[in-house]
Amino acid sequence: MKELPTYSEVGTTRRNSSWCSPRRLAAIGLGAVIGLQTLAAVKDSDTVAEAVYDTAVDVKWALTPLSSCPRKRALQLMSRQPVIDGHVDLEILSRWYYANDVEAFDLRKETRGQVDFPRMREGRMGGFFHSVFVPCPEDDGFDSQNQSNFTTPTWRVRDTLEQIDTARLLIDKYSDEFSLTLTAKEWRKAMKRGKFGGMLGVEGGHQIGSSLSSIRTYFDLGVRYMTLTHTCHSPLADSCGYVEHPSPDDLDAANAPLKPRWNGLSHFGRTAIREMNRLGMMVDVSHTSPKTASDALSHSLAPVIFSHSNARGVHSHSRNIPDAILRRIGSLNPSRRGKFNLSSDGEEGRGWGADSGEVDKPVLGGDVLIMLNFSPTFVSEWSDGSGLRSNVSLVADHADYIGRLAGREHVGIGSDFDGIDAVPEGLEDVSKYPNLVTELLRRGWSDKEVMGLTSGNLLRILEKVERTARKLRHEKPAYEIFEGRTDLVKHDSPPS
């Protein structure tokens, strides 16, 4: 087992006492600094007592020596910076098994899914994004979006509201455990008090009913990110569909009938992203085509996220991210900027964007987060049963790869738990996150890097999205009407 340095082994020659003079002076100095920070922060806290409590927690962690054992160290780091999972499908499990009856199951006991309070505590969780998902219309037997005009009447908005209601009911039912945390600051505060924070994420642009009003309503109900597409195109953008071993010609292939509708973002999608930036709702480009993801990186004023995606260079699935986009994200760090040799990466220079100058395009929002998906099909396996059996080490391979191309500061966790039937060995449910962190520590990830992966990177992104919204607060709401709609037009005369 790889041994990691303890605090007392780094930068000191006196190891016989944990309270030698230098440590004692450092502790006193640290306490004084944090004390001054506490006094400055009282005005932003609910009470002085809460500010003092927060300071005590910070001091405790600052003075706690870390174990040299990777497993014990992982648990210590995760207690300090718990996991925020960017994509958990608890609500769709509730819908499927219990018809949204939140009294029909008990999260205080082990559930039939992969998420419950005992296992969340064991896995050192600080909360998750409640994914509110309903299938694309054609997946439920409706016509394929009315020849891609996306105006075929369905119950997508109704069902999304039911999912939001279920999430809110669960949070209310377990208010001693859950907290609806609508800002990064609220989430940090909840975790310090031992509660599981939570925001909502809408997993598909088909769920807005071609209406910007739906986006604003969802935001008011607690939604803090929206995925622009699911497996179907949406009024906002093109989807990547669901294609194994994708090539540049896959969108026109017989087994992949998702021919591009918009060639990336639609005009309406650009307006929607601007509206999401104004509100403070994160733009999620998991499930989108690479061109859509690229357009979003070029258009969004706030950081963009991939809520549950892996790397194509490790496993070639359409749901994973091409090398060119990962390298483009990596160029955000000046020390990594430069000419990239894509032929040395996993796609060997043959992936999407390799010949179009993708890596040299700017990222307008200045930051990106990619959250690792645990679904075996996106890790190492194929739907026909071939491929390597997925496990925690192979998920760590994706983390390493994304970290090498994009930077470890851009990696998080978006497991897809309760939305997947199969799971990797060693990552069977939310209690197993420490296995992944332990593996990354053994591979040389630093304490700061793994605490970024667990939730630090996500909270950084949230704060930047909120900052962008504050800058745009003077802007008026957008009133654009989707081009495919004919039911909402302006008139010069009263109705007859």
Side-chain angles (χ1 to χ4, degrees):
M1 178 181 292
K2 180 179 177 181
E3 291 295 316
L4 299 172
T6 64
Y7 279 168
S8 60
E9 292 172 341
V10 180
T12 180
T13 58
R14 296 187 63 186
R15 303 190 185 106
N16 61 327
S17 172
S18 62
W19 282 102
C20 59
S21 295
R23 265 184 88 84
R24 191 185 300 254
L25 290 173
I28 293 172
L30 179 63
V33 170
I34 296 178
L36 291 173
Q37 291 176 335
T38 299
L39 292 175
V42 165
K43 64 181 184 298
D44 295 323
S45 299
D46 294 341
T47 66
V48 173
E50 288 183 339
V52 171
Y53 175 83
D54 290 346
T55 301
V57 172
D58 291 336
V59 171
K60 171 190 172 184
W61 286 120
L63 299 179
T64 300
L66 292 177
S67 173
S68 61
C69 168
R71 177 69 180 188
K72 292 179 180 178
R73 195 185 192 97
L75 294 173
Q76 287 178 305
L77 293 172
M78 296 173 75
S79 294
R80 182 173 185 176
Q81 190 74 59
V83 170
I84 296 178
D85 194 315
H87 195 90
V88 169
D89 280 300
L90 175 61
E91 282 66 34
I92 197 63
L93 181 142
S94 171
R95 182 182 186 88
W96 177 259
Y97 285 118
Y98 307 108
N100 292 337
D101 180 359
V102 301
E103 300 300 329
F105 61 100
D106 188 358
L107 288 176
R108 301 187 195 280
K109 304 174 182 177
E110 185 166 323
T111 67
R112 64 196 305 171
Q114 294 141 352
V115 181
D116 51 58
F117 294 135
R119 287 182 286 180
M120 288 170 69
R121 280 188 285 272
E122 186 178 349
R124 301 299 196 273
M125 284 195 82
F128 56 86
F129 275 82
H130 299 249
S131 177
V132 291
F133 164 72
V134 295
C136 289
E138 51 265 50
D139 293 338
D140 275 355
F142 294 99
D143 292 338
S144 182
Q145 297 286 11
N146 191 23
Q147 289 75 52
S148 295
N149 279 328
F150 312 105
T151 54
T152 301
T154 69
W155 298 112
R156 303 305 86 185
V157 174
R158 179 202 67 181
D159 293 352
T160 300
L161 290 172
E162 288 180 348
Q163 289 281 278
I164 291 173
D165 179 57
T166 299
R168 297 290 297 260
L169 288 173
L170 283 169
I171 292 170
D172 288 344
K173 177 183 177 182
Y174 301 103
S175 59
D176 59 324
E177 298 275 12
F178 277 141
S179 178
L180 181 64
T181 49
L182 299 182
T183 66
K185 181 181 177 181
E186 289 178 6
W187 210 324
R188 292 182 191 274
K189 180 178 175 180
M191 291 194 299
K192 280 190 175 181
R193 283 149 183 75
K195 298 189 74 173
F196 301 116
M199 296 178 175
L200 281 59
V202 169
E203 197 186 355
H206 64 285
Q207 296 178 231
I208 68 170
S210 306
S211 171
L212 297 177
S213 297
S214 296
I215 297 176
R216 289 188 284 268
T217 301
Y218 292 163
F219 181 83
D220 288 341
L221 293 173
V223 172
R224 290 299 180 269
Y225 77 67
M226 182 174 70
T227 317
L228 298 183
T229 71
H230 197 252
T231 53
C232 58
H233 298 322
S234 79
L236 309 174
D238 287 341
S239 167
C240 70
Y242 194 91
V243 185
E244 297 182 358
H245 305 293
S247 70
D249 300 323
D250 267 330
L251 289 176
D252 295 317
N255 66 338
L258 273 187
K259 295 182 179 180
R261 163 64 167 160
W262 309 110
N263 190 31
L265 283 175
S266 68
H267 177 78
F268 187 67
R270 287 177 166 81
T271 302
I273 284 180
R274 183 73 178 202
E275 188 68 355
M276 293 166 72
N277 291 164
R278 184 187 71 84
L279 292 169
M281 182 186 290
M282 292 187 293
V283 176
D284 176 25
V285 289
S286 283
H287 281 290
T288 69
S289 71
K291 181 59 165 61
T292 294
S294 177
D295 287 352
L297 292 174
S298 298
H299 187 74
S300 177
L301 298 175
V304 169
I305 67 169
F306 294 79
S307 68
H308 55 311
S309 294
N310 295 332
R312 282 192 190 180
V314 178
H315 190 59
S316 184
H317 196 291
S318 67
R319 278 281 285 103
N320 290 338
I321 307 168
D323 287 347
I325 289 182
L326 292 177
R327 287 291 193 184
R328 178 180 175 184
I329 295 167
S331 70
L332 286 168
N333 185 334
S335 68
R336 301 170 59 86
R337 189 175 293 122
K339 293 295 182 181
F340 298 119
N341 181 9
L342 291 174
S343 65
S344 66
D345 295 334
E347 292 186 291
E348 299 180 338
R350 296 192 295 269
W352 181 92
D355 301 322
S356 61
E358 175 68 23
V359 295
D360 298 318
K361 295 178 182 178
V363 178
L364 188 60
D367 209 344
V368 182
L369 182 65
I370 300 162
M371 290 183 265
L372 300 168
N373 190 323
F374 294 174
S375 175
T377 311
F378 307 144
V379 176
S380 60
E381 301 181 31
W382 300 115
S383 57
D384 63 3
S386 63
L388 295 174
R389 174 71 177 99
S390 64
N391 57 40
V392 64
S393 179
L394 292 172
V395 173
D397 286 347
H398 283 274
D400 273 343
Y401 190 87
I402 294 169
R404 180 169 68 84
L405 271 63
R408 292 177 180 177
E409 68 273 21
H410 300 294
V411 188
I413 295 174
S415 66
D416 220 350
F417 278 143
D418 275 356
I420 51 177
D421 294 325
V423 290
E425 294 176 351
L427 291 171
E428 290 82 4
D429 55 54
V430 294
S431 71
K432 305 300 184 181
Y433 298 118
N435 292 343
L436 177 60
V437 175
T438 301
E439 176 67 18
L440 294 175
L441 285 171
R442 286 178 176 141
R443 293 182 180 208
W445 283 51
S446 70
D447 297 345
K448 180 180 179 181
E449 288 167 346
V450 297
M451 288 195 294
L453 171 110
T454 54
S455 59
N457 295 337
L458 173 58
L459 292 169
R460 181 191 75 237
I461 294 289
L462 276 170
E463 288 168 343
K464 290 183 176 181
V465 170
E466 292 164 5
R467 194 177 306 139
T468 300
R470 288 193 294 270
K471 291 179 180 178
L472 299 178
R473 63 181 180 273
H474 64 281
E475 292 193 359
K476 294 181 179 179
Y479 298 105
E480 180 176 331
I481 299 170
F482 173 60
E483 64 185 65
R485 291 184 64 177
T486 58
D487 62 306
L488 192 60
V489 297
K490 294 181 179 179
H491 298 87
D492 294 325
S493 57
S496 56

